[in-house]
Amino acid sequence: MRSYKDYKKRVLQDSKVKAEYDALQPEYDIIQAMIAARVQQNMTQKDLSAKTGITQADISRIENGTRNPSLSMVKKLAQGLGMQLKLEFIPKDASPDSAR
């Protein structure tokens, strides 16, 4: 069996797959940041639900990518995590490091 990295490298050689993958990157970035902040604070989804009023089921759906949260919901999640939400528009050709 091949590794996920090998599989990912192979399928991303297809320009259509790569375009779809790249289009989803902002969603994956939000999901990863949310999970990392929650885990760093030793919070469960249930804890975050109690702080935000967002159901644990919805938090789970957001984290597994099956629910697309509104901006107001993301702001509420950030507040529940004791964080501030920062949204940026950066040029498409800019690398993530050059935007900082």
Side-chain angles (χ1 to χ4, degrees), residues 66-83:
T66 59
R67 172 114 168 40
N68 195 1
S70 66
L71 182 57
S72 65
M73 185 178 282
V74 175
K75 287 168 41 178
K76 192 182 285 189
L77 288 163
Q79 185 177 12
L81 290 163
M83 305 230 155

Side-chain angles (χ1 to χ4, degrees), residues 19-34:
E20 288 297 319
Y21 179 83
D22 290 345
L24 292 171
Q25 193 60 51
E27 285 88 345
Y28 290 134
D29 289 345
I30 290 170
I31 291 167
Q32 186 55 47
M34 182 179 144

Side-chain angles (χ1 to χ4, degrees), residues 29-46:
D29 289 345
I30 290 170
I31 291 167
Q32 186 55 47
M34 182 179 144
I35 293 170
R38 183 176 60 74
V39 169
Q40 181 182 31
Q41 296 179 40
N42 296 315
M43 290 179 77
T44 64
Q45 291 177 349
K46 188 175 181 178

